[in-house]
Structure formats: C-alpha cells, structure tokens
Amino acid sequence: MTSKDPQCQQHDLHAAAATGAARGPVVRVAVPKPLHQLYDYAVPPGMRLPVPGARVRVPFGRQTLTAICVDAAPVDPHDQPRAVLAVLDDDNVLGEELLALGVWLADYYQHPLGEVLATLLPVEARRGTALQPPTRRGWRLNEPLPVPGRAPRQQALLEHLRAQGGRASADALREAGFSNAVIRAAAARGAITREALPLEADTAAGQSGAAAGAREGDRPTLNPAQARALATLEQGLGSFVPTLLDGVTGSGKTEVYLRLIETVRRRGQQVLVLVPEIALTPQTLERFRSRFDRADTLHSNMTDQQRLQVWLGCRSGGTGILVGTRSAVLTPFARLGLIVVDEEHDGSFKQQDGLRYSARDVAVKRAQTLGIPLLLGSATPSFESLHNARSGRYRHLALPERAGGAQMPSFHVLDIRGHTLSDGISERLRGIITTHLDAGNQVLVFLNRRGYAPTYLCPRCGWQAQCRHCETRLTLHRHPSALLCHHCGARERLPDRCPACEHGALRAIGLGTQRTEAGLETLFPGVPLIRVDRDTTRSQKRLEAQLTLIRAGTPAILVGTQMLAKGHHFPNVTLVAVINADAGFLSADFRAPERTAQLIIQVAGRAGRAERAGEVWIQTYQPDNPMLRALMEHGYHGFAEQELENRRRAGLPPFRPMAIIRAEARDAAAAQRLLAELKSQLTQAAGAGVEVLGPVQAPIQKVADRYRYQLLLLADGRGPLHRTLRVLNDRPADDRRVRWSLDIDPQDTF
Ligand code: ADP
Ligand code: ZN
Ligand code: ZN
C-alpha cells in the first residue's frame, strides 16, 4: 500500500487542487480488483471534489468501475492520470469508522483495499446506486389548520398530530389507535397529506421512552448469577470492555443479552448482535422481536434491496437492534453502543473465501475503536477466547447453572467394543431410547455425517466408489439412490455391478444419518422420526416445519447432524445419544479435538432443558481415548485446559499466530513450484521467530480436478508474521494456472 492515512480531511484535497491549479486536483482511488495498489485519477474542472469514502466512477483498462476515493494525491506534472467520470456521493458513504476499519482489514488480512472496501458496501451500492436514506410512510398536518369537523376521531387525529409536532409515521398512528378509515377520511378532506419521513423519526421516541421499545411484561426474574453478570456488564457500558460470558447450555445467557440491550437502548445507542445461523435458529430472532418493538436482521436469504435498506437504517441510526450473521459485523452504525457475539466459538463466524475475516475478531477491533463493550457468549468458548480470558485481556463472567430450575444432563459413556450394532444402534442404547419414549419424551440421535453410507465397495475385489474429480470416496445416498461427492457436488448413478470385477452385490459400509434413520424406523415402528441435516433442510419452509414438529413435544426421535447442536431449545428432549464420538477425535487437524468437544457438549446441551432431567449417552469404540475421558471426567473446561497445554507445548494458536497459504492447480507440479517460490521469498523476509513450513499436500489432495498444496506459517508474534507476509503483496494473486490465497488465523488447516 503506497498511500497515506485515508482518513485525511477534505482540505487536503483542496490544497492539492491549489498546487496543481492548471491540471486540476488528483485523487487516489481503491478499485474493486485483486490488486494491492491504489490508482490516481484527475478530477476534471467543474466536477465536485470527492471526499475520502465517496464513490467515484472511473475508467480502468477497458472497464468502467465503481471505486472509492481514499485520499488526495500529489499532482505530478509529468503524470497524465485518467479522469474521474463521475462523483457519486457528497459524503463518505461508509463513515469514518468503517473506512478506517477497511484499511485495518486490508492490512490485517493482507487483502487488497479496493476489494475490502467493496465488501463493506452492500451489493446495490457497489453497482453505483444512489443511496437514499430510508424512509417510512407518514402523514403531515396541513396548514392552515382546517376548520374543526364534526367527526370526533378525525379531530382526535389532528390533535394527536399537532402534539407530535405536525408529523407522525403511519405505524405510529396505527399504534396510537387511529384506523385507516379515519386517516383516509382526514386526508380526503385535505386536513393531512402523505409524507415520507426519515426512519429515525420513531426511534427518537424510543430514546426518551422508559425501556426504549422493550416489553417488560414477560421477562423472567434473573437468577443470582445472571443478576451479578448483568450488574458487572452494566458498569462497563461506555468503554471498551471485552467480556466472555461463559455460561453452560441453557444458563440464560440470552436473557442477560436482552437485559443489557434494554439498558443500551435506553441510552439511545444501537446494538449489534451476531449469531451463527439465523435460518437454523429462527427462535433466536423471535426472542429479540418478542422483547423489543423492532429488531432488524441481515442474513443470506435476503434480496439486495432488503439488505441495502437495513444497511442504510443502521448507518442513519434508525435501526436500534441488528441481529445478523457473519457479514453483519461490517455494517456501519451511527451510534453503536454494544456488540454481542452469541455462540462465539462457532465456525461460521470465519469467512472461508475472498476476504477471510473472523467476524468475532473484527467485532473485537470495532468495539475497541468505538470504545464500547463487547460481549462474547458461549457454553464452549473458543480456545482463543478462553486464552484471552485467562490471561486477563477479557473479563470472564460465569453462569455455572441452568436458569429456571433445569438441571444439567448426566453423561454416560457406552463402550460398544464387541457389541453388534443395528445400523449404528447398540442393544443397550435401544433399551435406553425405549425408556425415554415410553415416558412420553423426545430423543435426539446425533451423527455428524449426512447421506446413507460414506463407503460403497465391492466385497470381492475391494473396488470403492471414488469421485472422478476429487481424491475422496463417494457417499451413498438413498431416496433417490445416487453416489454423491460431498466435496465437488458430483453425482453418479449407482452401478449395478462392480465396475472392476462385475460382482453383483456391492455393499454400503459405515453410517450416515439416512441409514440411522432407516435403522431407527425398523427398531421403533410407529414412532415419528424427524431427520435434520443439509439434505432435509434445503428449503427454509421444510426446516421450520420440522422444528415446529419437534416443538409440538409429542414423543419422537430426532436424527441429525451438527445442525441439531446449534442453540435450539427443545424442552421435551430428555435423551441425547451420540452414535459415534470417535471420528472427530481422530482427525488430523489441530483444532479437531476442540471442535469435537464443542460439538458433543453443545448437542448434549439440548437434553433436559426444561423440568424433566436429561441424560447423554455416548457410544464409542475407544472408551479410553484420553480426550474423551478428559471431557467426560473434567467437563469442557478441564478438557480445554489440557488441550491448551498441548497447544502451548506445540507452539500452536492461540499461543502463536498462524497463517496458511493454499495453492491449487490442475497441474500438481505447478502448484508445488509456486509454493516453493513463495516459500523462498518468505524465508528471506522472515526474521527470527517465524517458521515457514511446507509445501505439503493438503489433507484432501485433489478437489474438483485441482491439486492442492499448502504452506504453513507460525510466528512468535503478530508483528513478525505480518511483516513477513507483506513480501507477497507485490505478487498477483493468481496466474492463469495456479490459484493461491492467504488465510490469516485459519480455522481449517486443510
Ligand atoms: P442460553 O442462551 O444460555 O442457552 P437461554 O437464555 O436460552 O440460555 O435460557 C434457557 C431457558 O431458560 C429459556 O427458556 C429461558 O427463557 C429460560 N430462562 C432464562 N433465564 C431465566 C430465569 N432467570 N428464570 C427462569 N427462566 C429463565
Ligand atoms: Zn469387484
Ligand atoms: Zn468430487
């Protein structure tokens, strides 16, 4: 990056304009291209000067792009920059804080500023659409005041409007009890006129109102731990205090968020709540909406227009509460007072392509810049956050017990060595399931693999169904029967006979949710089965229908993947059965133990959330696996302590920062060559305390016909790591044959 601080003021631009009088001013622009460079453009005479953060239309090669002005540029008399075609905004569209955040993101994630700034804009705004502040439908009292009519409701309406300063939104009038008929009649006789009001109009009332739009009626009384946590959090309002709210599943963390949000709203400030997946847990949003008059949302199932409206509402201050997924952390706010990250350990907070940011880490950065509190909540905190809490960088608040009288479930390990299983279910587990169903309860059976079976093979010659495009096995699916690749999406017909030896009886080996479902159907005829995985929930409607069925509460068996582990509140589930705990602990990824433990504790947390006590049974072939034992005997925190010690000894995150460089190409040698080149560049730049490891094959070596290799960097500090990686900025991200990318703080090391 060659520019100076882009937050420079507009007078710099005029100064530049003055010195280059004959040639006109020149501005430095970030174009939405994967290039680590800013470009200079001349502002033709008569055109308004763009301020930093204003969108401009510029010619680029043969294209015309919507870009962002970041700075004034010195006028070089020998230079002949191309001219800006149009200035689209009078102001900084992102606002100062977000523009500065963009610069920080570009630097921290070593991503081109032009692409980062484009990411910060809603899609509509990237296209150059004019950004009108959002409005609501409203009514204005006409002058001169009309002569009093005889209709008392109309008269009341006019008086109400006068008391409101002559204007009110249609929603507010309806809430005040004026029917559409009355409003239409008053309009018909010319007493009032339709008018678009700024969105802020209504929330101004919220700021002075007692609870800022919160409904107080149906709130539970906080238990002592919740009350203590809330009191501590309220003391921290108005300054940067990052807090880890470490509360067991069902301990009432959400209730603490809601109360804190009320206080922040009463101060007239806005609140950002980040959640892992809104589509999966519509309950969470409902809870915010049932407590506050209004909570806006941002998630992937919205149109570009809808997203733009919400974005503008947040920017103008009209939106009081935004509940959103990962990318909501990049929204501008006029008066942000609090950021909450719910289930902060969740992997979905990390973006896996393009600008590979962690929404949780960006939330920390924003809270720090704005001087506001940040609340990270989880029953299974990420090791990063635990480490920060232990080292005193975060405040650590605990909610050790379930709220409202519910008990934590009991844990049991079921050793299945030597047992015959029926589609994954042992005889013992079958009995336990029966007991719970007979008592009128629901049972949750967890297996983290979708499809029918992960392997389809020939028992005679050993042939296995493999993906043609990836180095993986195909997964057998039923209804309809097909072999699917879970990596590239390829689909193949089931062969009738073995393609290698013509043997006629091919066999499905291993377990997926479809097979478990089929097995349970046979074992428990007549019991309703609800399967929840990516295949059964492609439509939001179907997912919601399934969740409704579960909440109906009649005895049923739920079968599903990690989708069932996420934040759901199923009051009638009293048994959670983990069919196979072993696979997760065996993975090569250094984060696998952390993730597996989180998954087991989270899915277990669905048991016994109401009056009826819950139990958790875990089937394993490795009852003596030290990780499983640590988790069972010492709980998540004891487990984490042990694992963190292993990480510290191995010099891994969170003790040392990590980065991965991935390369993929149709030609394996080309990918390896590129990484070898990058490695030598990096090694030259690396000072003491920076390790560059590799290149090695990615754990899945080929996906979609591309061979994948990677380099791993570990450093003793962020400074050395980032200084080293900066040497890559001069390289184009892709050449025709090899695609490569940099991932800072990667979540997956493959
Ligand atoms: P978490 O977010 O920690 O999983 P929730 O806030 O969802 O926990 O609370 C779990 C359940 O307990 C919810 O049904 C919630 O309404 C209820 N609850 C929370 N706090 C209280 C309380 N103080 N008294 C009674 N019930 C509570
Ligand atoms: Zn064969
Ligand atoms: Zn494939």
Side-chain angles (χ1 to χ4, degrees):
M1 192 110 345
T2 48
S3 99
K4 50 180 185 164
D5 181 3
Q7 280 198 73
C8 91
Q9 301 300 309
Q10 197 183 359
H11 55 77
D12 284 5
L13 296 180
H14 288 291
T19 51
R23 297 269 315 283
V26 176
V27 289
R28 194 150 277 168
V29 163
V31 298
K33 291 280 172 191
L35 300 162
H36 287 269
Q37 200 190 330
L38 299 172
Y39 294 86
D40 289 352
Y41 287 89
V43 181
M47 187 182 281
R48 64 184 152 159
L49 270 179
V51 299
R55 292 171 302 159
V56 289
R57 297 283 290 165
V58 293
F60 190 81
R62 291 177 184 188
Q63 293 174 289
T64 302
L65 301 176
T66 301
I68 293 204
C69 170
V70 291
D71 206 348
V75 178
D76 178 343
H78 305 292
D79 224 24
Q80 297 279 327
R82 299 175 78 178
V84 172
L85 303 174
V87 177
L88 303 180
D89 305 298
D90 292 331
D91 308 314
N92 176 349
V93 279
L94 295 167
E96 252 181 55
E97 184 239 343
L98 210 61
L99 183 59
L101 181 74
V103 173
W104 179 83
L105 285 167
D107 183 60
Y108 186 86
Y109 291 108
Q110 309 260 308
H111 200 77
L113 181 60
E115 285 196 333
V116 171
L117 297 183
T119 308
L120 296 183
L121 288 172
V123 173
E124 278 294 316
R126 276 175 232 167
R127 296 190 188 120
T129 314
L131 300 179
Q132 306 294 353
T135 54
R136 333 188 84 186
R137 291 196 305 124
W139 294 93
R140 170 170 52 91
L141 190 59
N142 282 341
E143 300 284 351
L145 288 180
V147 279
R150 250 163 296 144
R153 282 309 287 161
Q154 281 188 44
Q155 203 50 43
L157 170 65
L158 303 189
E159 264 148 37
H160 180 80
L161 274 170
R162 194 171 312 146
Q164 299 289 314
R167 287 174 171 78
S169 74
D171 289 342
L173 290 181
R174 208 165 307 125
E175 258 171 50
F178 297 104
S179 69
N180 280 335
V182 169
I183 294 171
R184 268 200 305 272
R189 72 183 181 95
I192 60 174
T193 307
R194 214 181 262 289
E195 186 173 273
L197 301 176
L199 200 54
E200 280 143 292
D202 279 358
T203 42
Q207 285 167 34
S208 53
R215 278 185 274 283
E216 305 193 15
D218 42 7
R219 313 186 300 188
T221 309
L222 296 185
N223 65 34
Q226 284 173 315
R228 264 197 308 278
L230 181 66
T232 312
L233 288 163
E234 282 180 336
Q235 274 164 21
L237 291 181
S239 60
F240 173 58
V241 193
T243 303
L244 177 61
L245 183 62
D246 191 340
V248 297
T249 51
S251 58
K253 295 183 289 295
T254 311
E255 193 56 45
V256 174
Y257 309 154
L258 290 167
R259 295 295 172 93
L260 187 63
I261 292 170
E262 280 179 28
T263 310
V264 174
R265 292 293 297 136
R266 232 178 276 131
R267 295 161 60 112
Q269 291 179 307
Q270 296 169 285
V271 178
L272 169 63
V273 182
L274 297 175
V275 295
E277 271 147 297
I278 285 178
L280 267 184
T281 50
Q283 270 174 308
T284 311
L285 186 60
E286 277 164 33
R287 262 177 97 179
F288 282 89
R289 291 202 162 143
S290 70
R291 191 67 69 83
F292 297 97
D293 285 341
R294 194 161 143 229
D296 283 344
T297 177
L298 267 184
H299 55 81
S300 52
N301 292 340
M302 292 168 68
T303 66
D304 291 343
Q305 250 315 316
Q306 289 171 324
R307 296 178 69 89
L308 177 65
Q309 287 312 312
V310 173
W311 192 84
L312 290 169
C314 293
R315 194 185 66 165
S316 71
T319 291
I321 303 171
L322 178 67
V323 181
T325 48
R326 179 177 62 228
S327 65
V329 79
L330 305 177
T331 311
F333 288 90
R335 295 182 289 275
L336 193 59
L338 168 70
I339 307 178
V340 177
V341 184
D342 187 27
E343 309 290 0
E344 65 88 30
H345 63 277
D346 198 276
S348 73
F349 287 124
K350 179 81 198 293
Q351 169 85 26
Q352 301 286 11
D353 53 22
L355 174 62
R356 293 171 166 78
Y357 65 96
S358 151
R360 179 189 66 219
D361 297 348
V362 175
V364 178
K365 174 67 190 171
R366 286 192 80 176
Q368 185 176 23
T369 306
L370 293 168
I372 60 172
L374 167 79
L375 183 53
L376 303 172
S378 177
T380 53
S382 65
F383 285 9
E384 275 72 15
S385 296
L386 271 181
H387 180 57
N388 281 326
R390 279 164 199 217
S391 62
R393 273 192 292 270
Y394 292 175
R395 194 167 49 189
H396 200 170
L397 298 178
L399 300 178
E401 276 162 24
R402 281 192 159 170
Q407 294 301 304
M408 286 304 280
S410 56
F411 281 80
H412 312 271
V413 172
L414 214 169
D415 181 357
I416 48 173
R417 284 174 300 182
H419 288 230
T420 19
L421 306 184
S422 154
D423 291 319
I425 312 287
S426 62
E427 193 54 38
R428 180 86 192 281
L429 181 57
R430 179 189 178 171
I432 297 166
I433 294 177
T434 308
T435 314
H436 282 261
L437 292 174
D438 288 350
N441 299 328
Q442 294 178 332
V443 170
L444 190 162
V445 175
F446 170 77
L447 174 66
N448 209 15
R449 198 190 277 132
R450 67 194 174 94
Y452 187 85
T455 307
Y456 195 53
L457 60 67
C458 169
R460 189 158 81 191
C461 78
W463 171 90
Q464 296 189 359
Q466 298 267 354
C467 180
R468 285 169 218 269
H469 309 285
C470 308
E471 197 159 275
T472 54
R473 290 188 302 244
L474 293 170
T475 301
L476 175 64
H477 282 244
R478 296 286 191 199
H479 316 293
S481 288
L483 291 163
L484 297 187
C485 176
H486 286 186
H487 295 274
C488 73
R491 164 186 289 266
E492 292 195 23
R493 273 190 334 106
L494 283 194
D496 300 330
R497 337 194 119 258
C498 172
C501 76
E502 305 255 301
H503 184 63
L506 297 178
R507 214 178 271 165
I509 306 289
L511 273 186
T513 45
Q514 283 187 330
R515 187 173 203 165
T516 310
E517 180 188 31
L520 289 164
E521 227 155 42
T522 320
L523 291 175
F524 302 96
V527 177
L529 266 165
I530 305 162
R531 180 163 61 98
V532 178
D533 58 29
R534 203 134 49 85
D535 297 309
T536 65
T537 56
R538 280 192 209 287
S539 93
Q540 183 66 19
K541 265 215 189 100
R542 181 149 174 210
L543 171 64
E544 277 168 30
Q546 279 163 315
L547 295 177
T548 307
L549 214 61
I550 297 171
R551 263 175 260 145
T554 44
I557 304 176
L558 290 44
V559 190
T561 57
Q562 44 138 357
M563 290 182 122
L564 279 177
K566 301 215 171 182
H568 302 282
H569 185 65
F570 301 140
N572 293 298
V573 169
T574 53
L575 169 64
V576 166
V578 179
I579 293 287
N580 181 357
D582 303 332
F585 285 123
L586 296 174
S587 160
D589 191 330
F590 80 92
R591 285 189 209 273
E594 174 185 354
R595 270 207 222 102
T596 304
Q598 288 166 345
L599 200 50
I600 290 176
I601 298 298
Q602 289 291 341
V603 74
R606 302 315 110 198
R609 290 174 68 94
E611 305 82 49
R612 289 174 266 187
E615 50 178 359
V616 181
W617 284 83
I618 297 175
Q619 291 195 143
T620 175
Y621 285 110
Q622 299 184 313
D624 295 323
N625 179 311
M627 290 189 265
L628 182 61
R629 287 192 56 170
L631 187 60
M632 291 299 111
E633 286 164 23
H634 310 295
Y636 182 76
H637 287 80
F639 169 85
E641 199 149 322
Q642 179 180 312
E643 267 299 299
L644 273 166
E645 181 52 25
N646 291 340
R647 296 261 194 104
R648 193 185 62 74
R649 269 197 243 116
L652 289 167
F655 298 92
R656 292 164 86 211
M658 178 188 268
I660 279 192
I661 298 170
R662 302 189 182 88
E664 49 172 71
R666 283 176 188 275
D667 172 11
Q672 280 175 294
R673 225 171 16 245
L674 175 78
L675 286 185
E677 244 176 71
L678 295 185
K679 181 179 185 177
S680 85
Q681 248 185 308
L682 288 165
T683 315
Q684 275 174 26
V690 180
E691 282 179 82
V692 187
L693 309 167
V696 294
Q697 281 180 9
I700 299 174
Q701 205 217 331
K702 188 176 84 169
V703 171
D705 295 315
R706 290 177 164 269
Y707 291 89
R708 313 183 325 151
Y709 290 84
Q710 56 195 33
L711 286 179
L712 192 71
L713 281 90
L714 280 162
D716 291 344
R718 296 244 159 235
L721 180 68
H722 279 74
R723 271 194 294 284
T724 306
L725 289 168
R726 219 155 270 154
V727 300
L728 302 177
N729 280 357
D730 301 330
R731 292 193 77 100
D734 295 341
D735 68 32
R736 236 163 295 127
R737 297 184 318 139
V738 188
R739 268 199 291 231
W740 69 275
S741 61
L742 170 61
D743 191 351
I744 308 270
D745 309 328
Q747 278 301 301
D748 292 310
T749 45
F750 54 90

